């Protein structure tokens, strides 16, 4: 059965960098079973209603500014998949999850940076999904859980964000890792590997340094982990595949569920 993944998409510069993390994602895409399609929840697509893409060919969204010109020349023309989009809609209906279909929006950098590192040929169909930071963690998990049947059909579910993502705390010229970031990720490791939903759902009050690692203005980057985790509720197994940091505290974590 296909696992689900939580992947930190880091800074947009990853799209043109060659480093430990980009090499890891390149290798991950080569070594994993090839998915029939990818369902991706991106931190950079927020909406109150759950959005499900039904797009023929995605345009590439450059939702950032002030970066080198070559970043704005990258294109990732992934195709959609009508059948998988319809299946997702049916699963949401049967689980009582309200949703809206999106037929025009392209892929933001939370999606295409990750996808391009995993599958540079853009030859795997993609269904882009929004996230809703206003929902409870239980509700976010439930949305992911409703899609668990897709894994049996070789569909890869990805949550794209970051476990530690506080742009007001990053140190662009300093790669010495902040202790508070490591302590938060260490807590997360314990409770993810134990599938401790009770603690994870209360991470804001229970996790050390949660107010720094997941600030209220930026929790959209953390919550994709609940969508990805929920998609593997039938297996309840979590494995940390990679963890590194850039700019002092921006985490590059990759978690596999299932």
């Amino acid at each position: 059965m296909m696992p689900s993944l939580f992947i930190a998409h880091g800074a947009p510069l990853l799209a043109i960098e060659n480093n430990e993390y980009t090499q890891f994602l390149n290798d991950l895409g080569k070594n994993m079973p090839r998915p029939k399609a990818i369902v991706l929840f991106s931190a950079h697509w927020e909406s109150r209603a759950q959005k499900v893409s039904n797009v023929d060919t995605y345009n590439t969204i450059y939702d950032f500014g002030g970066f080198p010109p070559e970043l704005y020349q990258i294109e990732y023309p992934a195709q959609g998949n009508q059948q998988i989009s319809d299946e997702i809609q049916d699963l949401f209906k049967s689980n009582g999850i309200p949703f809206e279909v999106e037929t025009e929006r392209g892929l933001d950098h939370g999606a295409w940076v990750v996808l391009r590192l995993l599958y540079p040929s853009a030859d795997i169909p993609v269904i882009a999904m929004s996230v809703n930071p206003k929902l409870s963690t239980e509700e976010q998990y439930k949305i992911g859980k409703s899609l668990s049947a897709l894994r049996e059909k070789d569909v890869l579910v990805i949550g794209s964000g970051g476990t530690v993502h506080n742009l007001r705390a990053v140190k662009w010229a300093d790669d010495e890792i902040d202790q508070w970031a490591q302590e938060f990720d260490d807590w997360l490791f314990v409770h993810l590997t134990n599938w401790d939903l009770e603690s994870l759902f209360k991470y804001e009050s229970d996790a050390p340094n949660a107010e720094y690692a997941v600030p209220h203005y930026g929790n959209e980057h953390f919550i994709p982990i609940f969508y990805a985790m929920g998609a593997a509720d039938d297996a309840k197994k979590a494995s940390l595949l990679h963890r590194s940091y850039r700019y002092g505290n921006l985490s590059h974590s990759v978690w596999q569920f299932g």
Side-chain angles (χ1 to χ4, degrees):
M1 183 181 292
M2 189 68 65
S4 61
L5 297 172
F6 173 81
I7 301 178
H9 60 249
L13 285 171
L14 283 178
I16 57 174
E17 290 179 328
N18 181 13
N19 56 40
E20 173 192 5
Y21 188 48
T22 61
Q23 284 297 318
F24 171 81
L25 292 178
N26 289 158
D27 292 341
L28 181 63
K30 295 172 184 175
N31 295 327
M32 280 187 59
R34 183 176 175 82
K36 173 184 174 183
I38 299 169
V39 176
L40 189 144
F41 292 87
S42 173
H44 287 277
W45 187 9
E46 297 179 57
S47 66
R48 290 297 183 97
Q50 178 61 55
K51 300 282 191 176
V52 182
S53 286
N54 186 4
V55 174
D56 291 331
T57 303
Y58 292 93
N59 65 305
T60 305
I61 301 174
Y62 309 102
D63 51 334
F64 46 77
F67 288 94
E70 53 263 42
L71 267 179
Y72 304 90
Q73 297 168 9
I74 294 174
E75 294 186 355
Y76 192 83
Q79 305 290 305
N81 185 295
Q82 175 80 56
Q83 178 184 347
I84 301 297
S85 180
D86 289 344
E87 286 189 44
I88 291 170
Q89 295 170 47
D90 290 340
L91 288 169
F92 281 165
K93 289 174 184 176
S94 63
N95 285 278
I97 296 171
F99 66 91
E100 296 175 358
V101 178
E102 171 59 53
T103 60
E104 296 183 0
R105 190 181 188 275
L107 296 177
D108 57 65
H109 84 272
W112 64 259
V113 169
V114 167
L115 292 172
R116 186 169 175 267
L117 288 167
L118 291 172
Y119 305 108
S121 298
D123 55 355
I124 298 176
V126 175
I127 309 299
M129 309 283 282
S130 66
V131 300
N132 184 354
K134 303 300 182 183
L135 292 178
S136 68
T137 49
E138 291 91 343
E139 290 172 306
Q140 292 153 358
Y141 186 93
K142 178 184 176 182
I143 290 172
K145 182 179 178 179
S146 71
L147 303 180
S148 60
L150 294 177
R151 294 172 44 240
E152 299 177 2
K153 300 179 180 181
D154 296 327
V155 175
L156 175 62
V157 178
I158 297 176
S160 173
T163 57
V164 180
H165 187 277
N166 185 341
L167 294 184
R168 296 177 186 174
V170 296
K171 299 176 289 187
W172 297 104
D174 185 1
D175 274 344
E176 182 177 350
I177 303 170
D178 288 329
Q179 184 177 351
W180 62 264
Q182 287 185 305
E183 289 177 351
F184 177 84
D185 270 340
D186 288 345
W187 180 92
L188 194 60
F189 176 87
V190 171
H191 295 283
L192 283 175
T193 53
N194 288 315
W195 212 268
D196 180 5
L197 294 180
E198 182 178 356
S199 296
L200 290 166
F201 287 160
K202 298 186 299 177
Y203 76 90
E204 288 181 293
S205 59
D206 288 11
N209 311 308
E211 69 275 20
Y212 298 111
V214 189
H216 290 296
Y217 70 84
N219 70 329
E220 76 284 343
H221 275 75
F222 184 70
I223 61 172
I225 205 167
F226 292 114
Y227 295 92
M229 195 180 185
D233 179 79
D234 54 341
K236 294 183 173 61
K237 179 182 178 183
S239 303
L240 179 62
L241 302 185
H242 178 91
R243 189 173 83 176
S244 59
Y245 297 87
R246 293 287 299 278
Y247 315 121
N249 51 62
L250 185 64
S251 69
H252 289 163
S253 297
V254 178
W255 281 91
Q256 176 176 301
F257 304 113

